[in-house]
Amino acid sequence: MSEIMIENLCKTFGSKDGRVDALKEVSLTIGDGDIYGIIGMSGAGKSTLVRCMNFLERPTGGRVLIGGRPLGSLSERELRRQRERIGMIFQHFNLLMQKTVLENVCFPLYIQGKRKKEARKRAAELLELVGLEERRKAYPSQLSGGQKQRVAIARALASDPEILLCDEATSALDPQTTSSILELLKDINKRFGITIVVITHQMAVVREICTHVAVMKGGQVEEEGKVEDIFAHPRSAAARELIRSDRGGDMQERYGRPEEEIRSGRRIRVVFSENSAFEPVIANMILAFREPVNILRADTKNIGGVAKGEMILEFAPGSINIEAMKTYMSHRGLEAEEVKEDVEQ
């Protein structure tokens, strides 16, 4: 079992400016075999959290349990063995520049005491898995960024981990390369059942690969749950800001002025799925009620292979049909909720 349970986790650092609380009472459960995203802007505490998951950073308080076993109760020897079950992938690859691709993948196997022939055989299998068997004799300096990350993934898999921690693993890559790396991680998860934790500041990464997500800000978890639920109904200001900033990837359409410019009329946030995204619900509603509706913003994205999106609508000031129009949309598969000034600005 590779379920990760984090209970009331705290991490405090001392500095010349005083005490810094990097993590504040963080509690999460990451299911066995899940692809779980932890998202937040710089300074949110997400990288500190992921380093506490394998005790590279020892928490100041709280517990981390893997498979029901608290890491804080392990001896140093037991902790080293536990870390062998947890692979890590970093933003800047951390490859040995003076070693070939094959030798980079062999490195953790040598540390485990594997014989050279056995280690090389296993490394060759992993390079085939990540699509780099033909570059086994190349050096990292001869590889593209995406190829370097594939080597890093192969190296992380060398010890047959049950958990894979990805700390901003695609931040240094272009969008097309990022997409190919995420597809590789999804394939690894499906093929081997490895629990994958993705640390990122990009909502596009979360909606592409993750099933669940925790949104962090200021060392705390603002909200967590299924990606599709948080996208449809973000409860925290941090989640709403990340969704609003997600403008790349597979956006199909966007038009209208930003909602920050709105000065009159009630606003409704409409969430639609693949079952309703291509029906002219809004146009038909305008015809049915004979009342203008201003589309301030609209976009469509792919979340876990399902087309999902949102619209921000503004109704005419003084309209008496708003509730009836919300009901009209609801009956046609659209979810509508009020947008409040103090929340969205």
Side-chain angles (χ1 to χ4, degrees):
M1 292 288 291
S2 54
E3 180 185 67
I4 304 170
M5 293 186 65
I6 298 167
E7 299 178 346
N8 303 315
L9 205 68
C10 299
K11 179 62 182 179
T12 301
F13 294 100
S15 71
K16 61 180 182 180
D17 298 321
R19 165 175 156 158
V20 177
D21 294 319
L23 297 175
K24 307 170 188 175
E25 300 288 334
V26 173
S27 295
L28 291 173
T29 298
I30 300 172
D32 184 26
D34 198 1
I35 304 181
Y36 197 102
I38 298 175
I39 188 171
M41 303 308 290
S42 179
K46 54 191 187 296
S47 290
T48 300
L49 177 58
V50 79
R51 289 174 64 84
C52 285
M53 287 184 190
N54 58 7
F55 265 42
L56 289 177
E57 291 283 357
R58 284 189 173 265
T60 307
R63 298 198 304 169
V64 177
L65 300 90
I66 296 181
R69 195 177 186 191
L71 297 189
S73 69
L74 303 182
S75 66
E76 284 300 319
R77 183 178 180 182
E78 289 172 326
L79 190 56
R80 283 195 297 271
R81 287 181 178 175
Q82 178 64 57
R83 288 194 185 117
E84 290 180 0
R85 298 169 54 200
I86 306 174
M88 285 201 74
I89 307 170
F90 303 93
Q91 178 179 358
H92 298 297
F93 322 123
N94 291 7
L95 300 179
L96 301 171
M97 301 304 288
Q98 73 277 18
K99 298 289 186 181
T100 65
V101 164
L102 185 70
E103 288 299 309
N104 265 278
V105 181
C106 284
F107 186 72
L109 296 169
Y110 293 153
I111 292 176
Q112 290 181 355
K114 304 290 185 183
R115 293 183 179 180
K116 188 172 183 178
K117 183 177 180 180
E118 183 182 0
R120 283 175 164 258
K121 181 177 183 294
R122 176 60 176 154
E125 292 171 350
L126 290 169
L127 288 173
E128 183 177 2
L129 173 69
V130 301
L132 284 180
E133 64 274 17
E134 295 181 358
R135 304 307 307 273
R136 57 196 297 175
K137 295 182 180 179
Y139 287 85
S141 61
Q142 299 171 308
L143 303 179
S144 67
Q147 289 173 330
K148 289 176 185 176
Q149 197 59 285
R150 286 174 181 270
V151 176
I153 292 171
R155 181 185 59 189
L157 294 174
S159 56
D160 294 319
E162 297 178 2
I163 297 168
L164 198 55
L165 306 179
C166 306
D167 191 2
E168 297 281 9
T170 60
S171 294
L173 307 177
D174 62 75
Q176 185 174 355
T177 305
T178 292
S179 182
S180 70
I181 293 297
L182 295 179
E183 282 298 323
L184 175 60
L185 290 174
K186 283 193 286 188
D187 180 63
I188 288 168
N189 169 261
K190 184 176 181 180
R191 188 179 302 195
F192 303 111
I194 295 175
T195 302
I196 299 179
V197 181
V198 178
I199 305 297
T200 183
H201 64 276
Q202 299 170 308
M203 184 60 80
V205 170
V206 168
R207 62 181 172 80
E208 176 72 21
I209 190 175
C210 299
T211 53
H212 295 79
V213 64
V215 180
M216 292 193 68
K217 183 178 181 180
Q220 297 175 301
V221 174
E222 295 287 296
E223 64 177 297
E224 55 94 17
K226 291 183 178 179
V227 172
E228 59 190 65
D229 293 340
I230 288 182
F231 179 84
H233 300 292
R235 302 186 306 274
S236 66
R240 285 190 290 270
E241 180 60 31
L242 287 164
I243 290 171
R244 280 202 301 267
S245 66
D246 181 20
R247 292 290 186 264
D250 59 351
M251 182 179 294
Q252 294 177 4
E253 59 178 343
R254 187 176 79 238
Y255 45 91
R257 66 186 191 279
E259 57 267 44
E260 286 80 359
E261 298 179 11
I262 300 168
R263 293 293 178 265
S264 64
R266 283 175 63 184
R267 288 174 289 161
I268 301 294
R269 181 174 182 261
V270 176
V271 180
F272 50 90
S273 69
E274 63 180 355
N275 295 324
S276 56
F278 305 109
E279 298 176 14
V281 175
I282 304 303
N284 288 343
M285 181 182 70
I286 292 170
L287 292 172
F289 287 89
R290 298 186 179 183
E291 186 172 300
V293 174
N294 192 13
I295 299 176
L296 300 165
R297 193 188 72 203
D299 62 59
T300 305
K301 300 181 180 72
N302 184 299
I303 300 179
V306 177
K308 293 233 176 210
E310 67 171 357
M311 288 184 180
I312 303 294
L313 305 180
E314 182 185 40
F315 295 100
S319 171
I320 62 172
N321 293 316
I322 295 176
E323 294 306 318
M325 287 191 281
K326 287 170 64 176
T327 300
Y328 180 95
M329 290 185 287
S330 176
H331 287 168
R332 286 153 182 81
L334 277 65
E335 300 178 53
E337 61 185 7
E338 200 84 15
V339 175
K340 298 178 181 178
E341 294 287 342
D342 60 342
V343 172
E344 290 292 320
Q345 296 298 332

